[in-house]
């Protein structure tokens, strides 16, 4: 398996398949020479660092290949890498890991576009909403994904989503990509992980749903290109809370993602 490199408080895997994973909020390093932030969100997404590394390992087990991956070692109290620069840090020294994180993703996207012409970017987070669903974010808020299919499939929604590029390669329509039987949410439901949106749960009934933020806006296909993006919010209980549960979820997620990519990007990554 490809070994990681560490640079400027960021861990990077230069992969060999058209998938990019990122985890911005699981790091614990608190360099003393960088001022701690005084405003914004500071909470760590517990065990998302470990979950991301298990997903990388599971990709290798199932495909003998490695995804690209960018993981923040630096703590969120120093820099919030899932925000625009003006909201991400208060000390200019924090711009170094911030820029490094995003440069690694840009580098990965460029390589994937050249080698494969298309790909998928996954931004990994953790949440503690009461219902404990996996939340797959496409930059469409809950009020939009609540809409009837006839409204949801409008071009405006497709263009405003982070997976607009999928339609260039998938034989299935936007609704099916988002919450149909072969959506990533439905594929995870089939493996025992209730997910929004999906056939089973087309939207969040309690309105607790994260649709995606800066990283998904920046690195998905909202602004062009052939790399679609999805933010994933993993619940804590029975998913991130123990190593056994993280391993089980990683195995299910990689299997589901490989099916999703085969159907929607016409890429069979299993050897």
């Amino acid at each position: 398996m490809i070994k990681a490199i560490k640079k400027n408080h960021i861990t990077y895997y230069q992969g060999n398949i058209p998938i990019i994973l990122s985890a911005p909020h699981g790091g614990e390093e608190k360099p003393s020479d960088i001022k701690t932030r005084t405003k914004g969100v500071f909470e760590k997404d517990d065990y998302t660092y470990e979950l991301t590394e298990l997903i990388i390992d599971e990709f290798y087990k199932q495909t003998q290949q490695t995804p690209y991956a960018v993981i923040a070692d630096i703590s969120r109290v120093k820099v919030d890498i899932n925000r625009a620069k003006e909201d991400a840090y208060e000390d200019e020294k924090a711009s170094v890991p911030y820029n490094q994180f995003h440069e690694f993703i840009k580098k990965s996207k460029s390589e994937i576009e050249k080698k494969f012409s298309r790909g998928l970017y996954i931004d990994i987070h953790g949440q503690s909403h009461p219902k404990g669903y996996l939340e797959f974010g496409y930059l469409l808020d809950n009020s939009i994904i609540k809409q009837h299919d006839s409204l949801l499939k409008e071009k405006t929604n497709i263009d405003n989503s982070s997976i607009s590029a999928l339609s260039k390669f998938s034989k299935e329509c936007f609704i099916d990509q988002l919450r149909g039987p072969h959506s990533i949410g439905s594929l995870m439901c089939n493996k025992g992980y209730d997910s929004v949106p999906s056939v089973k749960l087309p939207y969040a009934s309690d309105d607790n749903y994260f649709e995606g933020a800066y990283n998904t806006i920046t690195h998905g296909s909202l602004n062009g290109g052939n790399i679609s993006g999805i933010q994933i919010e993993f619940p804590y209980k029975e998913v991130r809370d123990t190593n056994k549960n993280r391993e089980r979820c990683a195995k299910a997620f990689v299997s589901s993602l490989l099916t999703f990519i085969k159907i929607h990007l016409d890429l069979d990554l299993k050897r």
Side-chain angles (χ1 to χ4, degrees):
M1 191 176 80
I2 291 170
K3 291 183 179 180
I5 64 169
K6 292 181 181 286
K7 186 176 181 182
N8 296 321
H9 304 289
I10 305 297
T11 294
Y12 176 58
Y13 290 82
Q14 186 172 8
N16 50 20
I17 54 176
I19 298 168
I20 306 165
L21 308 173
S22 71
H25 293 155
E28 294 185 330
E29 294 180 4
K30 299 175 183 177
S32 59
D33 62 328
I34 296 178
K35 180 183 175 182
T36 298
R37 296 163 59 230
T38 61
K39 56 183 181 293
V41 180
F42 309 104
E43 285 80 10
K44 176 187 174 189
D45 287 353
D46 290 332
Y47 301 111
T48 51
Y49 192 116
E50 294 83 353
L51 177 59
T52 303
E53 292 206 313
L54 286 169
I55 291 170
I56 295 167
D57 291 342
E58 191 61 40
F59 263 109
Y60 190 77
K61 289 177 184 177
Q62 295 190 31
T63 70
Q64 297 298 297
Q65 299 175 94
T66 304
Y68 291 80
V70 184
I71 308 172
D73 296 301
I74 194 166
S75 170
R76 193 178 190 179
V77 303
K78 299 292 183 177
V79 56
D80 190 338
I81 296 177
N82 191 30
R83 297 290 185 271
K85 282 187 176 184
E86 57 270 21
D87 299 317
Y89 51 83
E90 297 168 32
D91 186 338
E92 192 59 32
K93 292 177 184 175
S95 67
V96 176
Y98 179 93
N99 289 334
Q100 187 68 74
F101 184 93
H102 291 287
E103 284 302 317
F104 275 143
I105 296 176
K106 290 174 185 175
K107 178 178 184 287
S108 302
K109 290 176 65 179
S110 178
E111 290 185 9
I112 287 172
E113 292 262 15
K114 288 176 183 175
K115 292 180 182 178
F116 301 96
S117 78
R118 58 203 184 275
L120 193 65
Y121 166 66
I122 304 289
D123 196 33
I124 293 172
H125 295 264
Q127 49 82 12
S128 54
H129 290 152
K131 290 187 180 294
Y133 301 147
L134 274 70
E135 299 170 14
F136 294 89
Y138 305 94
L139 303 181
L140 305 174
D141 67 30
N142 199 50
S143 66
I144 295 174
I145 64 171
K146 273 184 179 180
Q147 293 176 345
H148 187 272
D149 287 357
S150 61
L151 295 174
L152 185 57
K153 70 180 182 180
E154 289 183 354
K155 188 176 184 299
T156 300
N157 289 329
I158 298 173
D159 291 346
N160 287 337
S161 80
S162 56
I163 58 167
S164 56
L166 278 188
S167 297
K168 300 178 186 179
F169 309 103
S170 177
K171 294 178 181 178
E172 299 196 354
C173 70
F174 179 67
I175 300 299
D176 287 337
Q177 295 164 23
L178 195 72
R179 63 186 185 196
H182 297 132
S183 66
I184 187 66
S186 293
L187 292 168
M188 284 299 283
C189 281
N190 294 342
K191 293 187 179 296
Y193 293 91
D194 283 351
S195 302
V196 177
S198 61
V199 171
K200 182 178 180 180
L201 299 165
Y203 61 89
S205 59
D206 61 358
D207 280 330
N208 283 313
Y209 172 72
F210 290 131
E211 70 270 17
Y214 180 80
N215 292 349
T216 310
I217 292 168
T218 304
H219 302 299
S221 56
L222 174 65
N223 298 310
N226 290 333
I227 311 288
S228 288
I230 305 172
Q231 176 179 288
I232 304 179
E233 294 275 356
F234 289 95
Y236 186 75
K237 189 177 179 181
E238 298 183 357
V239 175
R240 291 182 286 132
D241 53 352
T242 69
N243 191 63
K244 183 177 180 181
N245 283 338
R246 291 190 293 272
E247 288 178 342
R248 185 170 65 91
C249 183
K251 183 176 181 179
F253 175 65
V254 171
S255 176
S256 298
L257 194 60
L258 290 171
T259 299
F260 181 87
I261 287 171
K262 184 176 181 180
I263 292 170
H264 298 296
L265 287 176
D266 194 26
L267 291 169
D268 188 351
L269 299 180
K270 287 189 174 182
R271 289 183 172 177

